[in-house]
Amino acid sequence: MPTSVLLDINGRAVTIEVDDPGMPLLYALRDHLELKGPRFGCGLGQCGTCAVLLNGEPVLSCETPLTKVANKKVVTLEGLGSPEHPSPVQQAFIDEQAAQCGYCLNGMIIQATALLATTKNPTVPQIKKALADNLCRCGTHLRIIRAVQRAARNA
């Protein structure tokens, strides 16, 4: 029997009907709300591409059941900015041309946003530690680090 689940996604209250309220948040975001920022990568919480902010803290939406997000604010990549008005972190990633295939970008930007919310001028080791759980196979790590540094300078 379907269950109604009320969510706060990107500052908007939305209700979705699901058969399993314990399903991963990622499926609700992508399949029910058609948000494409968080991506399905490994499905095991090992790649970081499904990251979202939950009350300002980065979490992996593939591992987070809907039951854990009740009464909490979820922010996805789409909630950080828009193509017309990107967030400072998104703009820095654009300016540094940090994307290659784009697979890791959602997780990198979400993690960088969370880092910069608590650390205004992070060191390179702090940036590397914050992004360590995000898998990037293209090798754009140096551009990603520069993007986080640029975002910190421009904040």
Side-chain angles (χ1 to χ4, degrees):
M1 182 161 164
T3 303
S4 293
V5 178
L6 178 63
L7 301 169
D8 182 336
I9 308 293
N10 298 328
R12 249 184 21 175
V14 294
T15 302
I16 60 171
E17 296 288 324
V18 297
D19 291 326
D20 177 11
M23 75 184 225
L25 173 62
L26 176 63
Y27 300 159
L29 295 172
R30 290 189 64 83
D31 300 340
H32 293 270
L33 301 174
E34 298 183 1
L35 296 171
K36 302 304 180 201
R39 297 188 177 146
F40 182 87
C42 67
L44 301 170
Q46 297 176 349
C47 70
T49 196
C50 68
V52 298
L53 296 173
L54 184 62
N55 284 350
E57 295 295 320
V59 299
L60 301 177
S61 64
C62 76
E63 293 185 319
T64 305
L66 282 179
T67 55
K68 298 275 184 171
V69 300
N71 303 313
K72 296 180 182 172
K73 296 179 184 305
V74 176
V75 177
T76 68
L77 188 66
E78 294 89 347
L80 296 178
S82 68
E84 299 79 21
H85 301 287
S87 74
V89 174
Q90 290 169 319
Q91 187 62 55
F93 272 67
I94 294 166
D95 294 344
E96 291 296 332
Q97 298 180 10
Q100 192 161 332
C101 80
Y103 171 82
C104 70
L105 281 185
N106 177 74
M108 294 289 189
I109 291 172
I110 291 291
Q111 294 287 358
T113 298
L115 171 67
L116 294 176
T118 60
T119 309
K120 298 301 177 198
N121 191 23
T123 64
V124 170
Q126 288 173 313
I127 296 169
K128 287 181 178 181
K129 182 178 179 189
L131 303 179
D133 292 334
N134 291 284
L135 180 63
C136 173
R137 294 182 181 217
C138 295
T140 61
H141 293 89
L142 294 177
R143 288 189 224 159
I144 290 168
I145 290 169
R146 284 196 308 265
V148 177
Q149 290 173 316
R150 179 187 287 249
R153 283 192 308 271
N154 295 340

